[in-house]
């Protein structure tokens, strides 16, 4: 193991990790927004839109992120739509993550008893107020484990972004292996980089789930 090599190229991994985190952050944010909107459409069974959302979820969940990225990066320019590499990565991650978040939100929404909605209507609350103050808080608390699992899943999915010429962690590792044949060192730094990113997320997720259980939410 060449520790001098590791020390020399660690800054490259730090830079790549920052790029990976930035893309993952925006991808997760847009995934949550997309998932919430889609789940509310399904919850209220809005005609036409419900079928459209169901089609989107099936398409997104049953096609690999790699294929989606190829379509965005290589296919859209054929139609005159050119998106930057980072834009493709964020859009692809949001497209994939939105469907998973939608299912997580939907399971939470469906766990709320109809009697609570009826109670809200009986005291004069509007539909928007019922969603905001009664349904969503309970739905989100129930769905926290699924949200956390999806966030970790989406961060790990960033490992395919090198196919759209992004200098992420996987790109740096493959580049160093190709240039210097330092396979063990490059892969060790790659594993440690993802561990440094994902371990705190996993710990925070576990603490959040435990706190919600102690507060009386969830199972």
């Amino acid at each position: 193991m060449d520790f001098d090599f590791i020390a020399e190229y660690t800054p490259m991994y730090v830079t790549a990790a920052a790029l990976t985190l930035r893309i993952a952050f925006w991808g997760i944010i847009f995934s949550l927004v997309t998932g919430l909107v889609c789940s509310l459409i399904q919850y209220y069974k809005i005609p036409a839109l419900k079928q459209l959302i169901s089609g989107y979820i099936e398409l997104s969940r049953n096609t690999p992120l790699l294929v989606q990225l190829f379509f965005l990066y290589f296919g859209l320019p054929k139609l005159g739509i050119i998106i930057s590499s980072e834009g493709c990565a964020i859009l692809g991650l949001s497209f994939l993550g939105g469907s998973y978040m939608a299912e997580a939100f939907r399971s939470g929404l469906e766990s709320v008893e109809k009697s609570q909605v009826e109670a809200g209507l009986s005291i004069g609350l509007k539909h928007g107020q019922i969603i905001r103050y009664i349904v969503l808080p309970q739905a989100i608390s129930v769905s926290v484990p699924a949200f956390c699992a999806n966030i970790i899943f989406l961060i790990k999915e960033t490992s395919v972004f090198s196919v759209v010429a992004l200098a992420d962690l996987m790109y740096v590792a493959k580049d160093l292996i190709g240039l210097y044949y330092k396979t063990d060192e490059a892969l060790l730094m790659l594993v440690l980089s993802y561990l440094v990113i994902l371990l705190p997320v996993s710990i925070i997720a576990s603490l959040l789930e435990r706190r919600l259980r102690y507060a009386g939410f969830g199972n």
Side-chain angles (χ1 to χ4, degrees):
M1 188 67 66
D2 189 345
F3 291 102
D4 290 333
F5 178 86
I6 292 175
E8 182 179 357
Y9 289 99
T10 293
M12 289 183 64
Y13 279 86
V14 173
T15 302
L19 175 63
T20 298
L21 282 172
R22 183 169 69 248
I23 294 172
F25 173 80
W26 288 113
I28 290 166
I29 293 297
F30 292 138
S31 295
L32 288 168
V33 174
T34 302
L36 177 60
V37 173
C38 291
S39 64
L40 288 176
I41 290 173
Q42 289 185 310
Y43 181 73
Y44 282 110
K45 297 180 173 62
I46 300 175
L49 287 180
K50 182 178 181 296
Q51 286 73 25
L52 183 64
I53 294 303
S54 297
Y56 153 66
I57 290 174
E58 292 301 321
L59 174 65
S60 175
R61 286 165 61 92
N62 292 291
T63 54
L65 177 58
L66 185 62
V67 174
Q68 296 170 13
L69 289 175
F70 278 150
F71 174 77
L72 293 171
Y73 193 70
F74 298 107
L76 288 184
K78 301 293 184 181
L79 303 176
I81 303 173
I82 300 175
I83 307 176
S84 67
S85 296
E86 190 168 334
C88 285
I90 293 173
L91 186 58
L93 198 64
S94 303
F95 183 81
L96 177 67
S99 61
Y100 284 91
M101 294 299 184
E103 291 297 283
F105 272 117
R106 184 178 63 82
S107 65
L109 290 172
E110 291 179 352
S111 71
V112 179
E113 296 290 338
K114 297 296 182 184
S115 59
Q116 298 193 39
V117 176
E118 294 168 356
L121 291 171
S122 69
I123 61 175
L125 293 180
K126 298 179 181 179
H127 285 290
Q129 292 174 315
I130 291 173
I131 285 291
R132 180 179 177 183
Y133 297 113
I134 298 177
V135 177
L136 274 184
Q138 297 182 71
I140 291 174
S141 67
V142 170
S143 301
V144 161
F147 290 149
C148 294
N150 288 339
I151 288 172
I152 292 173
F153 163 73
L154 291 175
I155 294 174
K156 290 192 291 186
E157 283 294 289
T158 60
S159 61
V160 304
F161 288 158
S162 59
V163 300
V164 292
L166 275 176
D168 66 342
L169 289 168
M170 184 63 73
Y171 181 96
V172 169
K174 291 192 296 185
D175 195 39
L176 291 178
I177 291 172
L179 287 173
Y180 303 106
Y181 300 100
K182 297 286 188 176
T183 304
D184 293 340
E185 291 82 356
L187 292 181
L188 175 63
M189 287 189 284
L190 178 64
V191 170
L192 291 177
S193 297
Y194 275 110
L195 187 63
V196 167
I197 292 172
L198 290 169
L199 189 58
V201 175
S202 180
I203 293 172
I204 292 171
S206 298
L207 292 174
L208 182 59
E209 291 177 32
R210 192 178 308 162
R211 182 171 182 179
L212 287 173
R213 283 199 298 271
Y214 288 159
F217 296 109
N219 295 322

